[in-house]
């Protein structure tokens, strides 16, 4: 039996609350030709992927990890590593601002 006034959070509700607050668990990047590419939102990046991003050399290495199989199509559509990393940094920065203000749902 839980104690009164004890903090209890339902995991699925918390994840959904944060996903809603940051705009989803994926970040979408649209190239100038209108094609849309996605990568995991920094808040929802799996540990293995985060380690691969950290270990990658330069913007291109990190961008290749983020986009995976989408990388060559992204480049063909006019995308570049530096631009993608700017989007990644923007998503992380916005996430930090959001986390400071957001209060997750408990149930």
């Amino acid at each position: 039996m839980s104690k009164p006034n004890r903090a209890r959070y339902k995991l699925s509700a918390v994840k959904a609350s944060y996903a809603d607050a940051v705009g989803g668990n994926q970040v979408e990047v649209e190239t100038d030709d209108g094609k849309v590419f996605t990568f995991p939102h920094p808040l929802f990046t799996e540990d293995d992927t985060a380690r691969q991003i950290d270990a990658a050399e330069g913007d291109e290495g990190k961008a290749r990890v983020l986009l995976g199989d989408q990388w060559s199509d992204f480049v063909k559509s006019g995308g570049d590593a530096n631009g993608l990393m700017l989007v990644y940094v923007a998503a992380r920065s916005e996430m930090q601002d959001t986390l400071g203000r957001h209060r997750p749902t408990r149930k």
Side-chain angles (χ1 to χ4, degrees), residues 51-65:
R51 281 190 286 274
Q52 290 175 20
I53 293 167
D54 290 342
E57 296 277 329
D59 285 351
E60 185 172 334
K62 293 178 187 320
R64 284 177 179 272
V65 172

Side-chain angles (χ1 to χ4, degrees), residues 22-93:
V22 298
N25 60 2
Q26 297 281 313
V27 175
E28 294 184 348
V29 180
E30 183 177 345
T31 52
D32 289 341
D33 65 358
K35 292 185 179 166
V36 177
F37 301 88
T38 61
F39 61 85
H41 191 284
L43 187 60
F44 298 102
T45 301
E46 297 288 331
D47 288 344
D48 285 344
T49 303
R51 281 190 286 274
Q52 290 175 20
I53 293 167
D54 290 342
E57 296 277 329
D59 285 351
E60 185 172 334
K62 293 178 187 320
R64 284 177 179 272
V65 172
L66 281 172
L67 289 182
D69 294 339
Q70 303 173 88
W71 173 250
S72 61
D73 291 335
F74 178 72
V75 172
K76 288 176 189 172
S77 290
D80 63 82
N82 183 258
L84 186 69
M85 294 315 298
L86 289 172
V87 172
Y88 183 74
V89 168
R92 285 181 61 103
S93 177

